[in-house]
Amino acid sequence: MSKNTIIMFSEDLDRAMASMIIANGAMAMGNDVTIFFTFWGLNLLRKKRKVKVKKSFMDKMFGMMMPRGASKTKLSKMNMGGIGTFMMKITMKKKKVQTLQELMSDAKDMGAKFIACTMSMDIMGIQKEELLDDIEYAGVATYLGEADKGTINLFI
Amino acid sequence: MSKNTIIMFSEDLDRAMASMIIANGAMAMGNDVTIFFTFWGLNLLRKKRKVKVKKSFMDKMFGMMMPRGASKTKLSKMNMGGIGTFMMKITMKKKKVQTLQELMSDAKDMGAKFIACTMSMDIMGIQKEELLDDIEYAGVATYLGEADKGTINLFI
Amino acid sequence: MSKNTIIMFSEDLDRAMASMIIANGAMAMGNDVTIFFTFWGLNLLRKKRKVKVKKSFMDKMFGMMMPRGASKTKLSKMNMGGIGTFMMKITMKKKKVQTLQELMSDAKDMGAKFIACTMSMDIMGIQKEELLDDIEYAGVATYLGEADKGTINLFI
């Protein structure tokens, strides 16, 4: 059984989809997949609803400006003030392509390990209560330990 | 003989050049190289001329807004409405650096395998007739099979 | 002892920090780390002060428009004309997170190998005198040689 790791650095809809399609493909082939969410990628793990937590002014500001969860992310290109992302979502629905939320939930169901980078959480002022349940928390050493045994290690 | 894989996710001139320089270097060293073109990266494989195919309204719109082939891509930074990309191309020509089209054609000649991601083609409404001849078509499972044996696997 | 390589293609503050945090973590675990700075990533190696060298008009223009060193780079997202980057730096200081310059200098002290891509230097008109001392110079073949033995190879 191969081990595969992905550093999910970006929050973009297109990059996150690519990441999850690779992860789910790998799981389907029987591989062991770990996705390490860091920096902007952490936003993919945020709960959709606002969670009340104590924060500094700066952390509140960052929190407000960043997307809350997979359903709020935009395309990295052709977003055009939201129009491009909206059009892409409609066309994906018509073509019966899974949404990013569905891809992420499938990944979890198939057993992919989601790890939130604790150092990035600190920098961006994101707290555990704000992130999806049923994920793990760790730092770069954990990532390196897994990736060292990985046959495929991607930074997305 | 090592195997190397690249997921060509971006369409940017600079990223595509980096990708092809790595690929051609690897081929020159006798490695076996597979480049998997997905999402925006698919645009690098589009034919320069418009190809008549039946498309939905939405797919036509996407097709119009996305660059048609390697000669139409822009820098990811300092594009400045095209001026930066134009300046970069002039300076590259003066310094006798290969163009992206030349790099891609060299890669093919040396035997690099170009694979267009069929799932992305479906999402973006791109059809086989619109892409360069002499490429292969496959999905994520094919990529994973190759990358699992790869010594170098990059996501660009 | 594992070997790890990073292609530092981007110049963005966030991506460069991710890169250095991974590199320093890997060094701390006893791994051997090589970072190959190419394209925009070269700007991270530029000296802060202007260095007098003979350049063509075009090379001078590029040189002026690109950031000079790690202290001048911006966030890839939420830069907002510099405000977002400034806010991020303040919040990082308050949280006692190392600056990018400190992370880079730690990486060097711990023995990470910094290689400037000579082909990119040529394209972007950057000369050795303009880059930090105590780095190495090489092309893609050197990168491929190292990455071929690497357990973790990332493109950032």
Side-chain angles (χ1 to χ4, degrees):
Chain A
M1 193 178 70
S2 298
K3 182 181 266 306
N4 304 153
T5 72
I6 294 172
I7 295 182
M8 188 72 246
F9 174 89
S10 310
E11 67 184 27
D12 309 313
L13 176 60
D14 41 359
R15 289 180 174 261
M17 281 192 62
S19 177
M20 290 302 147
I21 290 166
I22 294 165
N24 291 357
M27 299 291 301
M29 289 169 76
N31 293 1
D32 178 36
V33 177
T34 298
I35 308 177
F36 194 76
F37 294 81
T38 184
F39 280 81
W40 314 107
L42 278 178
N43 290 323
L44 297 167
L45 297 180
R46 289 174 84 193
K47 287 176 184 147
K48 206 174 162 178
R49 61 180 174 80
K50 194 173 159 34
V51 179
K52 276 218 164 159
V53 282
K54 261 201 164 162
K55 285 200 184 190
S56 72
F57 173 73
M58 216 70 131
D59 288 349
K60 256 185 220 160
M61 294 274 286
F62 280 122
M64 272 173 45
M65 288 185 299
M66 297 185 303
R68 252 203 293 271
S71 66
K72 300 293 176 59
T73 57
K74 310 282 184 202
L75 290 174
S76 67
K77 271 178 198 289
M78 294 208 324
N79 180 49
M80 301 178 297
I83 299 172
T85 299
F86 180 70
M87 277 174 54
M88 181 58 86
K89 283 185 179 177
I90 288 181
T91 193
M92 276 168 46
K93 198 172 178 182
K94 258 177 57 183
K95 289 171 183 171
K96 302 193 197 313
V97 179
Q98 286 186 296
T99 63
L100 176 54
Q101 298 96 291
E102 287 164 355
L103 288 166
M104 283 178 71
S105 128
D106 277 11
K108 286 292 300 171
D109 289 349
M110 286 196 277
K113 208 193 285 183
F114 282 17
I115 300 180
C117 168
T118 46
M119 188 185 179
S120 306
M121 286 174 64
D122 183 36
I123 293 178
M124 300 175 106
I126 292 178
Q127 297 172 28
K128 286 190 184 184
E129 291 78 9
E130 300 177 83
L131 299 185
L132 299 181
D133 306 319
D134 198 27
I135 59 170
E136 296 174 40
Y137 298 89
V140 68
T142 300
Y143 163 72
L144 288 164
E146 304 239 343
D148 209 51
K149 292 168 279 169
T151 52
I152 309 176
N153 301 308
L154 304 173
F155 183 99
I156 299 185
Chain B
M1 193 178 71
S2 299
K3 182 180 266 307
N4 303 154
T5 72
I6 294 172
I7 296 182
M8 189 73 245
F9 174 90
S10 310
E11 67 185 27
D12 308 313
L13 175 59
D14 40 2
R15 288 179 176 263
M17 281 192 63
S19 177
M20 290 302 148
I21 290 166
I22 293 165
N24 291 357
M27 300 292 298
M29 289 168 78
N31 294 2
D32 178 35
V33 177
T34 299
I35 308 178
F36 194 76
F37 293 82
T38 183
F39 281 80
W40 314 108
L42 278 177
N43 290 323
L44 297 167
L45 297 180
R46 290 174 84 194
K47 287 176 184 146
K48 205 175 163 178
R49 62 179 174 81
K50 193 172 161 31
V51 179
K52 276 218 165 159
V53 282
K54 261 204 164 161
K55 284 200 186 193
S56 72
F57 174 74
M58 216 69 131
D59 288 349
K60 256 184 219 160
M61 293 274 285
F62 281 122
M64 272 174 46
M65 288 185 298
M66 298 185 305
R68 251 203 294 270
S71 67
K72 298 294 175 58
T73 57
K74 308 282 183 200
L75 290 175
S76 66
K77 269 178 200 288
M78 294 208 324
N79 180 47
M80 303 177 296
I83 300 172
T85 299
F86 181 70
M87 277 175 54
M88 181 59 86
K89 284 186 178 175
I90 289 181
T91 192
M92 276 169 45
K93 197 171 179 184
K94 258 176 58 182
K95 290 171 183 172
K96 302 190 197 314
V97 178
Q98 285 186 297
T99 63
L100 176 54
Q101 299 95 291
E102 288 164 354
L103 288 166
M104 283 178 71
S105 130
D106 276 12
K108 286 292 298 170
D109 289 349
M110 286 195 277
K113 208 193 287 182
F114 283 16
I115 301 181
C117 168
T118 46
M119 187 186 180
S120 307
M121 286 174 63
D122 183 36
I123 293 177
M124 300 174 106
I126 293 177
Q127 296 173 29
K128 286 190 183 186
E129 290 78 10
E130 299 177 84
L131 299 186
L132 299 180
D133 306 319
D134 198 26
I135 60 170
E136 297 173 40
Y137 298 88
V140 68
T142 300
Y143 163 72
L144 288 163
E146 303 239 343
D148 208 52
K149 291 169 278 169
T151 54
I152 308 177
N153 300 309
L154 304 173
F155 183 99
I156 300 185
Chain C
M1 194 177 70
S2 299
K3 181 180 267 306
N4 304 153
T5 72
I6 295 173
I7 296 182
M8 188 73 245
F9 174 89
S10 311
E11 68 184 26
D12 309 312
L13 176 59
D14 41 1
R15 289 180 174 261
M17 280 191 63
S19 176
M20 290 302 148
I21 290 166
I22 293 165
N24 291 357
M27 299 292 299
M29 288 168 78
N31 293 3
D32 180 35
V33 177
T34 298
I35 308 177
F36 194 77
F37 294 80
T38 183
F39 282 80
W40 314 108
L42 277 178
N43 290 322
L44 298 167
L45 296 180
R46 289 175 84 194
K47 287 176 184 148
K48 205 174 162 177
R49 61 181 176 79
K50 194 172 159 35
V51 179
K52 277 219 165 160
V53 281
K54 261 202 165 162
K55 285 199 184 191
S56 73
F57 174 73
M58 216 68 130
D59 288 349
K60 256 185 219 161
M61 293 274 285
F62 281 122
M64 270 173 48
M65 289 187 297
M66 298 185 304
R68 250 202 295 271
S71 67
K72 299 291 174 59
T73 57
K74 309 283 183 200
L75 290 174
S76 66
K77 268 176 200 288
M78 296 210 320
N79 181 48
M80 302 178 295
I83 299 173
T85 299
F86 181 70
M87 276 174 55
M88 181 58 88
K89 283 186 179 175
I90 288 181
T91 193
M92 275 169 47
K93 198 172 179 183
K94 257 177 58 184
K95 289 171 183 172
K96 302 193 196 312
V97 178
Q98 286 185 297
T99 63
L100 176 55
Q101 299 97 292
E102 287 164 355
L103 287 167
M104 284 178 70
S105 131
D106 277 11
K108 286 293 298 172
D109 289 350
M110 287 196 277
K113 209 194 284 182
F114 283 16
I115 300 181
C117 169
T118 45
M119 187 185 180
S120 306
M121 286 174 64
D122 183 35
I123 293 177
M124 300 174 105
I126 293 178
Q127 297 173 29
K128 286 190 183 185
E129 291 78 9
E130 299 178 83
L131 298 186
L132 299 180
D133 307 319
D134 197 27
I135 60 170
E136 296 174 39
Y137 298 88
V140 68
T142 300
Y143 163 73
L144 288 164
E146 303 239 343
D148 208 52
K149 292 169 279 170
T151 53
I152 309 177
N153 301 309
L154 304 173
F155 183 99
I156 299 185

